[in-house]
């Protein structure tokens, strides 16, 4: 039996996280995982403030890592490697996590593994589920919105992406316009309850175009025009949230439908939805419906593994370690604010927007 135990560190946005994971013959066991959210630090600003994030990561990264190692029942010297998100993301935070990881690896005399944050998300369903390659991944969060074909470790093809805002960002912007609080997605979903999704006609850009790209910026502009007119009752606000959520669900499910059609595999198809927006009930339901139409299975990792976490970073590290494909120059790896998972398609089809944490696309 081959066994690899890895400490993972994640600091690319507004969660400081560390986890210890063991991979035994392809089976992952999470020995510990700690996530400290900075939501309260950023809430007064209605969005993530990079400087505040970097400072907060620097303040607590050591404690979070020590707690994760302590709760795993192991010692640093028991790790086979240390993996840390080394991009893409907010550069200040990425550097804090990456330097922490390098220092620990050096101290313990173990390999350091720089992990692409997006690869962590791409592999996240494998944390809990029996989710063999290949599968189609829809990554929808505050910073990313893309379809990725995952055919194996290190084999990712980006099929489509948002050309402006990410879906989570669209939710956050509506919440800001309506003063519903941050993060916006859960607030909009709550407010949409009891609302009429057919009340407001909102745009569904690119939906009938070829390809798999998406666009959400126009949706926010349309909502802003409605809100500007003023005089909205509580019911109007509810209806607007429901209509907005329905527009996003329609766009994502129409694209997922097309993506599943293009995704040619032997046997049953798997559609994985990950990222914070995967928590949205209406969106999950719409995707479930689309998957059913293709005889595909919809896999939605548990919420704590949909949002940013270190278990997925440790898993990516462990899978690379198990595959024996480590970068001998990893200690010299420079943090990358931009680091597309699929460099080839990113070059031929650059992302113009890319979310409020633009760096993440
Ligand atoms: O994956 P995540 O925690 O962080 C990154 O952006 O990487 O995703 C956070 C995003 C935020 O934009 C948040 O508003 C959105 O996910 N979100 C939701 C819901 N819960 C979180 N969007 C819609 N409905 C939800 N229930
Ligand atoms: Zn993320």
């Amino acid at each position: 039996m081959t066994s690899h135990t890895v400490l993972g560190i994640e600091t690319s946005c507004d969660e400081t996280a560390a986890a210890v994971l063991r991979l035994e013959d392809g089976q992952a066991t999470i020995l510990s995982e700690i996530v400290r959210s900075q939501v309260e630090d950023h809430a007064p600003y209605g969005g993530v403030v990079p400087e505040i994030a970097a400072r907060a990561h620097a303040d607590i990264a050591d404690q979070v890592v020590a707690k994760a190692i302590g709760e795993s029942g192991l010692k640093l010297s028991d790790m086979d490697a240390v993996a840390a998100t080394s991009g893409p993301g907010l550069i200040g935070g990425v550097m804090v996590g990456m330097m922490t990881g390098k220092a620990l690896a050096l101290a313990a005399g173990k390999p350091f593994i720089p992990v692409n944050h997006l690869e962590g998300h791409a592999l996240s369903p494998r944390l809990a589920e029996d989710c063999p390659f290949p599968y189609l991944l829809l990554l929808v969060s505050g910073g990313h919105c893309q379809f990725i074909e995952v055919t194996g470790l290190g084999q990712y093809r980006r099929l489509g992406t948002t050309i402006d805002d990410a879906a989570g960002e669209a939710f956050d912007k509506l919440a800001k316009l309506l003063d519903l609080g941050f993060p916006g997605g859960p607030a909009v979903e709550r407010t949409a309850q009891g609302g009429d999704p057919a009340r407001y006609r909102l745009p569904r850009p690119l939906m009938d175009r070829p390809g798999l790209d998406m666009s959400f910026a126009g949706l926010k502009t349309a909502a802003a025009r409605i809100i500007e007119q003023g005089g909205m009752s509580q019911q109007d606000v509810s209806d607007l949230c429901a209509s907005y959520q329905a527009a996003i669900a329609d766009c994502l499910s129409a694209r997922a439908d097309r993506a599943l059609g293009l995704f040619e595999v032997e046997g049953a198809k798997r559609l994985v939805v990950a990222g914070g927006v995967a928590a949205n009930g209406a969106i999950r339901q719409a995707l479930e419906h689309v998957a059913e139409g293709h005889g595909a299975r919809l896999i939605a990792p548990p919420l704590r593994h949909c949002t940013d976490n270190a278990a997925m970073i440790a898993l990516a590290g462990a899978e690379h370690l198990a595959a024996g494909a480590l970068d001998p120059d990893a200690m010299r790896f420079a943090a990358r604010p931009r680091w597309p998972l699929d460099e080839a398609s990113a070059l031929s089809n650059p992302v113009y927007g890319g979310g409020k944490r633009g760096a993440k696309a």
Side-chain angles (χ1 to χ4, degrees), residues 13-15 117 121 140-144 168-169 171-172 183-186 189 245 275-277 279-281 283 306-308 356-357 360:
C13 192
D14 56 348
E15 265 94 26
H117 177 81
H121 278 301
V140 266
S141 68
H144 350 275
E169 183 180 14
F171 275 108
D172 293 336
E189 184 172 19
Q245 181 174 271
V277 180
N280 187 283
I283 290 173
C306 271
T307 55
D308 289 349
K356 68 180 177 238
R357 302 147 201 174
K360 291 204 131 190

Side-chain angles (χ1 to χ4, degrees), residues 175-294:
K176 202 165 181 183
L177 288 170
L178 290 170
D179 227 357
L180 298 176
F182 172 81
V188 171
E189 184 172 19
R190 257 193 321 274
T191 313
Q193 276 167 20
D196 174 5
R199 163 84 187 282
Y200 293 100
R201 287 187 51 190
L202 296 169
R204 281 143 172 84
L206 302 187
M207 213 167 90
D208 46 5
R209 298 268 189 90
L212 288 170
D213 284 344
M214 294 159 278
S215 163
F216 295 101
L219 193 55
K220 179 217 141 190
T221 311
R225 282 211 201 96
I226 294 167
I227 296 165
E228 268 160 29
Q229 290 165 14
M232 289 180 82
S233 68
Q234 197 47 49
Q235 186 60 46
D236 294 338
V237 169
S238 226
D239 291 346
L240 181 59
C241 286
S243 304
Y244 197 91
Q245 181 174 271
I248 294 179
D250 278 356
C251 290
L252 291 174
S253 53
R255 282 333 212 180
D257 188 33
R258 186 187 291 259
L260 276 171
L262 295 171
F263 181 51
E264 285 177 9
V265 290
E266 278 173 31
K269 297 178 181 179
R270 283 175 287 276
L271 171 65
V272 175
V273 57
V277 180
N280 187 283
I283 290 173
R284 271 192 195 219
Q285 214 178 353
L287 292 173
E288 193 80 63
H289 186 71
V290 167
E292 238 177 67
H294 288 267

